[in-house]
Amino acid sequence: MRVSGLALRKSTRRAILIWAFLAPSLLIFLLYRILPLAWNVVLSFQAWSPMKPAVFIGLDNYQEMLFDDDVFWQALWNTFGIIASAPIGIAIALGLALLVDSNIRGRDVYRTIIFLSYPLMTVAVAIIWRWMFDERVGLINYVARAAHLVDKPIPFLNSFTWALPSVIAANIWQMLGFYMVIILSGLQTIPGNLYEAAGIDGANAFHRFIRITVPLLRPSLFLCFVIGMLNSVTSFDLVYVMTGGGPGRATEILVTYIYKLGFNQTRFDYAAAVTVTFFILLLGITFLANRLSGGNAGAVERD
Amino acid sequence: MDRRRVLKTGIAAATTLFAPAYLHAQSNKKLSILTWNIADQEALFKEEFADFKAANPGVEIEWLDKKGPDLPAFYQTQLVAGTAPDIVDLQGALWVEWAANGAILDLTPYFQADPEFAKLFNADYLSSWVYDKKNYLVPFYVSKTLLFYNKLMFNVAGLSAPPANFDDILKFSQAMAKDEKTGFITLNFDWLYWPLLKMNGIELLTPEMKKPAFNTPEAAAVVDRLAKATEAGAINKIAWTGRWVEPNGAFSSGTVGMMHAHSAAYFFVKGQGRWINRDSLGAVEMPGDWSTPTNHGFAISKSSKNPELAFALIKHMTSNKWATKFAGIRRVLTANIAADKALLAAVQEEDPLAHAVLQTQLAHTDKMTGNWPLPNDAQIKDAFWPELQNALLGRKDAKTALADAERAVARVLRRS
């Protein structure tokens, strides 16, 4: 088919307009995301510090990371632990969303209360929960002891067993409001006639939930999972303020370890290698989550 | 004017207009100074700078202050950009790494050229900034650890004097531990806990500083005793988990018998603990008189275009006149002998307890430990401390933890 000159000029003008609108965002993305990432990749193959010129060392940093660094592995497992906690938060949020989506009295108040945790600064959340978990003056221990649930206070943040679950609990609490709003908006897009038809067919509440609610909520749940996962693995401020990665390395996650390597130990080269690994890990998990959600998350469907 | 020249002129003008103000101070007769978490002294610094400028007409000084964790990162980025400030205030062992890597200037020739200046300072504090036989810093303000003890808790436990040795520390701690009360706590950032090991004859590294020396049966026994005392509640767990706010807070609450901390902690706990007065708080040296310093000093960036002028400003700021004024306002020792003498005389009447605390800072300065001039100090600390924590909090037995720590420290030393 022959395209007329006028139509071509129109499509060209349209393309230029699109690129003109995209350019500022793309430029910022290039400057603050792509270039640092590319430099990180280069740096991970070098020995470099702000006080020494860069020397190419091949895979030495990666070799040290994989075969000679126990802390990296500990931080990696802890990071997986935090990622694995995202579905717990989503499940709780789903329950809460179903609750506040029903016709209970004061549901708007409940929605507001649950959402309030999300806009709080992470540092503030960390400080609040650090005091809540405090062994001597913390509210949780106070209530537990007052209710005679425990004899001795639980050293939540000072214990190798409790520290990571405590940080995860604070992280879930902060994200709960966000999850709930996303799921709630997903619930409200499900046509009511589907439930009515299922009811006429004799489906009970559980079956309606499994057969209608969950499948139609899949995009919302995927969004929650990806954002929740990214928020969890990058929750540097939460971990740093609550435990600093300790006790020992009990709450060290990759992002806190990268910071310590770079700014406490002046090992920017090695930190770059861990960062590249971390980035690949995130890419892999996001890809996997996308596949699990049907493989077209984020796509715009047109009639 | 051709297009290229217009472009160059434009870029130059934009750079001049939008570059941070203190970067302008890199040109001749201009100095930039970066201090560490001491923004509250702005009025005094302005006074000092005005005085310096009056004596050195045409000099401009740009002052910048950064909070604790921000300064090292900030300085390193400026170093990479080639815009490091002329003078930088450094704390802990960071200076060794920067000195070993050629970021800061060897000040030995300046001290040699002006022997009277060196005599202004306590020799032990001054020599704590020597690496490879070269002196890199001038003391700004100094502090070292001591033992604070709660006399009220001592009385209840029937204890009449502070501990004289490690055994006493553990014994007294156990005697005071009851319900919510614990006997001992220590600050643990940097190497502040090291006097506990040093008083038992434990060394971190071999004398040539090439190999770990701490993995010995004696060290395992000491760590094991500390771990058992922690488990029994004699030592407060916060000693091994908190950094400085938490241990200070715990001691301020009046439920901890003894606290090993640097002198700056006195003003913190006094401000928080209503129970604290001359009769209720004691301040003495740790058994064996061992202490760990946590000092601040001024260094000059090697990239400074005006090192002589920078050294002149440092001399000015640490002179008898200004060090005395600074010590008086901040209630800190400066290692300037005259200034410290004046401070001690001033507080003797108005705050005898502060006087007792500050006096410990000038005693036994030859027995400071945990301040090894190691270029890779941060890495060694990060390799050693988590393993020690594992032992002290009961996750690993002392022998295993020390063996693991030895492997981790040896790896750092080998890599360096």
Side-chain angles (χ1 to χ4, degrees), chain B residues 212-341:
Chain B
F214 56 80
N215 187 15
T216 61
E218 294 77 22
V222 168
V223 173
D224 188 50
R225 290 181 71 191
L226 287 169
K228 282 181 177 148
T230 307
E231 178 62 30
I235 295 178
N236 193 310
K237 274 184 189 164
I238 296 173
W240 317 125
T241 55
R243 280 175 62 80
W244 68 276
V245 174
E246 298 87 350
N248 281 337
F251 186 71
S252 306
S253 71
T255 57
V256 182
M258 295 175 276
M259 176 169 78
H260 174 229
H262 58 329
S263 59
Y266 166 71
F267 296 100
F268 185 101
V269 297
K270 196 187 171 199
Q272 291 204 342
R274 283 189 202 161
W275 58 274
I276 293 173
N277 58 48
R278 196 179 172 181
D279 300 321
S280 62
L281 182 74
V284 290
E285 293 280 324
M286 275 287 265
D289 300 324
W290 291 107
S291 64
T292 297
T294 169
N295 304 330
H296 281 252
F298 284 125
I300 298 176
S301 297
K302 219 170 191 174
S303 57
S304 170
K305 289 173 184 158
N306 296 301
E308 280 76 21
L309 195 60
F311 193 73
L313 179 58
I314 293 175
K315 272 176 69 177
H316 175 78
M317 293 178 77
T318 55
S319 63
N320 287 352
K321 177 187 169 184
W322 291 111
T324 303
K325 195 154 187 185
F326 174 64
I329 296 170
R330 255 264 169 160
R331 288 286 194 265
V332 287
L333 294 171
T334 60
N336 175 308
I337 296 164
D340 293 347
K341 199 174 165 188

Side-chain angles (χ1 to χ4, degrees), chain A residues 39 48-52 64 67-71 74 130 134-136 145 152-153 155 157-160 240-241 243 246-250 252 257 259-268 270, chain B residues 69-70 72-74 76-77 79-80 94 97-99 101-103 179-182 231 236-238 240-242 245-246 255 378-379 382-383 385-387 389-391 393-395 411 414-415:
Chain A
W39 190 63
W48 177 85
S49 89
M51 291 160 274
K52 282 180 181 170
E64 181 187 340
F67 303 110
D68 207 18
D69 185 358
D70 303 337
V71 184
Q74 167 99 52
R130 200 174 64 187
D134 192 275
E135 190 174 347
R136 295 186 179 274
R145 293 179 79 184
K152 287 168 75 176
L157 299 178
N158 299 339
S159 140
F160 290 97
Y240 206 73
V241 174
T243 62
R249 301 286 188 180
E252 198 80 84
Y257 187 44
Y259 174 84
K260 286 178 184 175
L261 285 170
F263 293 106
N264 292 354
Q265 300 187 21
T266 329
R267 297 196 69 203
F268 292 98
Y270 186 60
Chain B
D70 299 344
F74 175 80
Q76 287 176 56
T77 54
L79 207 58
V80 175
L94 196 59
E97 183 185 350
W98 294 2
N101 287 292
D179 300 328
E180 295 297 299
K181 293 186 174 170
T182 51
E231 178 62 30
N236 193 310
K237 274 184 189 164
I238 296 173
W240 317 125
T241 55
V245 174
E246 298 87 350
T255 57
Q379 291 177 41
D382 214 45
W385 172 242
E387 290 300 342
Q389 260 187 320
N390 280 334
L393 294 169
R395 194 186 203 190
R411 196 163 60 218
R414 208 170 44 238
R415 200 170 52 218

